[in-house]
């Protein structure tokens, strides 16, 4: 399997089906679609996008740690039919390759950003589960106490046991989608995006009780 840092990149649709893990990757595709449409001054053919812009978008949105991980994530989206290379060139890379979204994420002329897309509904539900069930406590590191915090690994575990994802890999992507789209939580010093590690995270109090991603965001 192709590994990229903390999560496994999916290779085939059969691989994804066996793991029954779609919520995280689908949310990544949905967020990517919404964000890339704000990059260009005018719509590109098929309302597509360039791979290199997708890479930078995934990193800026906190869906990937770095460009290498973003490329691997883009390759997973391509292999599983979320996006398609419109010129039949080689696999997804951090280059000026031209892509378009497919399936449920394809562009529709009558698309309404306020519509409750399936992926957005799942992110909203995951958001509610996390803020209702994550237990916060004081954690110490290098002599400093971080109050009312929780671990990144606890986010992944909760999403997994709650049935959103059957793998920690997909749950990681879903957790990152919640952090971006709903602004539910952040790293205590803003040095990390969500990782499946014993890193400390804290709720964003101003958005904890009202965060929803189903509306328009960029």
């Amino acid at each position: 399997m192709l590994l990229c840092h903390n999560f496994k990149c999916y290779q085939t649709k059969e691989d994804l089906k066996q793991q029954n893990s779609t919520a995280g990757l689908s949310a990544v595709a949905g967020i990517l679609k919404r964000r890339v449409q704000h990059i260009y001054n005018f719509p590109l053919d098929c309302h597509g996008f360039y791979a290199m812009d997708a890479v930078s978008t995934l990193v800026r949105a906190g869906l990937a740690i770095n460009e290498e991980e973003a490329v691997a994530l883009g390759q997973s989206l391509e292999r599983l039919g979320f996006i398609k290379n419109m010129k039949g060139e080689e696999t997804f890379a951090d280059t000026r390759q031209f892509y378009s979204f497919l399936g449920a994420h394809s562009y529709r002329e009558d698309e309404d950003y306020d519509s409750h897309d399936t992926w957005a509904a799942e992110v909203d539900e995951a958001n509610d589960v996390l803020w209702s069930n994550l237990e916060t406590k004081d954690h110490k590191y290098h002599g400093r106490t971080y109050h009312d915090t929780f671990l990144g690994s606890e986010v992944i575990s909760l999403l997994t046991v709650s049935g959103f994802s059957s793998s920690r890999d997909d749950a990681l992507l879903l957790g990152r989608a919640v952090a971006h789209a709903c602004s539910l939580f952040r790293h205590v010093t803003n040095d990390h995006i969500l990782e499946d590690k014993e890193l400390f995270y804290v709720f964003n109090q101003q958005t904890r009780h009202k965060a929803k991603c189903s509306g328009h965001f960029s």
Side-chain angles (χ1 to χ4, degrees), residues 1 8 10-26 76 80-82 166-167 170:
M1 290 294 179
K8 176 170 65 57
Y10 304 103
Q11 294 295 308
T12 64
K13 291 183 178 180
E14 289 71 22
D15 179 32
L16 184 64
K17 183 177 180 181
Q18 289 175 1
Q19 296 200 43
N20 192 30
S21 302
T22 61
L25 200 61
S26 181
S76 292
L80 294 171
F82 287 97
S166 59
S167 73
D170 192 76

Side-chain angles (χ1 to χ4, degrees), residues 70-112:
V71 168
L73 186 51
Q75 291 172 354
S76 292
L77 293 171
E78 181 178 19
R79 289 190 181 94
L80 294 171
F82 287 97
I83 60 176
K84 179 182 179 180
N85 189 310
M86 299 303 291
K87 295 185 177 180
E89 299 170 338
E90 57 189 45
T91 189
F92 187 96
D94 191 6
T95 62
R96 198 174 171 81
Q97 299 169 328
F98 190 66
Y99 278 81
S100 183
F101 291 94
L102 299 175
H105 293 287
S106 60
Y107 176 79
R108 303 186 303 275
E109 289 292 341
D110 61 347
E111 184 166 27
D112 180 3

Side-chain angles (χ1 to χ4, degrees), residues 26-64:
S26 181
V28 168
I31 292 172
L32 178 62
K33 177 187 175 185
R34 288 191 177 186
R35 287 184 63 101
V36 297
Q37 291 188 10
H38 297 288
I39 294 176
Y40 310 108
N41 293 327
F42 54 89
L44 303 180
D45 291 344
C46 302
H47 289 263
F49 60 94
Y50 294 108
M52 61 184 187
D53 294 327
V55 168
S56 59
T57 296
L58 289 169
V59 175
R60 286 198 305 268
L63 298 173

Side-chain angles (χ1 to χ4, degrees), residues 179-194:
H180 167 76
C182 304
S183 298
L184 181 65
F185 60 87
R186 60 174 176 81
H187 183 254
V188 288
T189 58
N190 294 314
D191 290 328
H192 300 273
I193 64 175
L194 179 64

